[in-house]
Amino acid sequence: MINFSYHAPTKIIFGEDSELQCAQLLRECGAHKVLVHYGGSSALRSGLLHRVCQCLQDARLPYVTLGGVKPNPRLSKVKEGIALAKEEEVDFILALGGGSVLDSAKAIAYGCVNEGDLWDYYTRKKTITGSLPVGTIATIAAAGSEMSNSSVITNEEGWLKRGLSTPYGYCRFAILNPSLTATLPLYQTMSGCTDILMHTMERYFTNEPAMELTDEIAEALMRTVMKHARILLHKPQDLASRSEILWASELSHNGVSGDRTLGDWACHQLEHELSGMFDVAHGAGLAAIWASWARSVMDVNPKRFAQYAKNVMQVAEGKDDTETALAGIAATESFFKEIGMPTCIRELGISLSDAQIDELSEKCTFFHTRTIGGFKKLDYEDIRQIYRKARS
């Protein structure tokens, strides 16, 4: 038997034109003045920002806007948002965009309530004790932050990327219109699909006692994502496939496919340092690292990898678990290549030097103060070797 906790308090509104309900939802949450937070030109180009602002105007709900969030969202933009929200006496943050915008919105919400330097909370020096309420209109199927309590921010001083999970990090509501994801470039769509898979894998590869139903949910989710990623490769406007992918992104990160606290998360920690230093797309960075991580830890529990190989990648059973497991890892690499994702760091356009590997490893261990991973504990030297294997 396995012990776990499950909490998914976010209200979901899924479907065509669902963003038009935003003012009503904000009123239900008691909002009096809203900060509408968004990324770059896509929110303008798609018309989403205009539609949302028009809804707020029609509802006579005051708002201010702040754009400019970058992938791997920056602490400097968060601080700009905190200052604006306080000056304008905002009491609700509405994020329009993907995981980066929502991460930034959550951080602004924390900074408006908690005293002192916000970075101290992301580096575990202080503990979050409250937050402004946050809602989101998602424009990409990827991080699933809409239904998780996590946020990840990059500090330009040292290019450190740190995550924060807190009970105050859940959205009050998430509006999910699959049509909004259809404007994404194909590479970004596939990077998002990879992130969804990885959120499920991080929970799946655990040495905790398995629950059959949870395993079945996780395996079905991964098969579904791969099936519809392949469809979107050839028909990127296919709304049915975009709907499947968008809902999968939520289920991959809301706890239904496994308890987050029992998962591994080493690949995410490895990738956070990579994207913090080189600003790569998160899903692509995960794809570049995963197989090197998998081959490095597989011997701890080859049976688990063999189960993944058979039930998710649907490879033929080998002479033993190790052979089956290796075939499953190779099949995963082939899938990543098929959808245009990298399978090594060199394919990200990065030529890692030994000195850069040492720096990445030091940052990943928080400068030799922690190990990472749950499936297998990885220390500084283990991490260096995985980066070396993933280099090319």
Side-chain angles (χ1 to χ4, degrees), residues 294-295 298 302 305-306 309 315 321-333:
R295 292 190 176 99
M298 184 204 70
F305 273 89
V315 304
D321 286 339
T322 296
E323 182 174 279
T324 307
L326 288 171
I329 294 169
T332 305
E333 284 185 300

Side-chain angles (χ1 to χ4, degrees), residues 201-208 262-264 301 304 374-375:
M201 288 185 195
E202 298 284 28
R203 293 166 168 83
Y204 186 83
F205 287 107
T206 175
N207 291 314
E208 296 292 334
L262 302 177
D264 183 81
N301 188 350
R304 188 65 172 166
F375 193 80

Side-chain angles (χ1 to χ4, degrees), residues 222-298:
M222 288 187 278
R223 290 195 304 269
T224 298
V225 170
M226 289 190 288
K227 171 185 175 180
H228 290 282
R230 287 180 168 119
I231 292 173
L232 291 176
L233 269 178
H234 306 289
K235 296 192 293 182
Q237 301 301 313
D238 190 295
L239 190 58
S241 287
R242 289 203 170 272
S243 298
E244 297 283 355
I245 295 291
L246 183 55
W247 187 231
S249 73
E250 311 309 314
L251 300 185
S252 72
H253 211 26
N254 76 347
V256 73
S257 62
D259 188 328
R260 176 189 179 90
T261 65
L262 302 177
D264 183 81
W265 300 103
C267 285
H268 269 73
Q269 300 301 328
L270 291 160
E271 196 286 328
H272 281 173
E273 304 311 329
L274 191 67
S275 57
M277 184 182 293
F278 297 103
D279 211 22
V280 302
H282 179 52
L286 289 168
I289 285 170
W290 184 81
S292 295
W293 167 83
R295 292 190 176 99
S296 297
V297 306
M298 184 204 70

Side-chain angles (χ1 to χ4, degrees), residues 322-371:
T322 296
E323 182 174 279
T324 307
L326 288 171
I329 294 169
T332 305
E333 284 185 300
S334 295
F335 170 75
F336 288 151
K337 290 177 182 177
E338 180 184 349
I339 65 170
M341 287 289 100
T343 55
C344 67
I345 294 170
R346 177 179 51 79
E347 292 175 2
L348 289 166
I350 300 167
S351 297
L352 275 184
S353 67
D354 289 344
Q356 287 172 322
I357 286 176
D358 291 345
E359 182 181 352
L360 287 167
S361 303
E362 286 181 352
K363 289 180 175 179
C364 195
T365 60
F366 290 3
F367 302 97
H368 304 279
T369 62
R370 69 163 185 171
T371 58

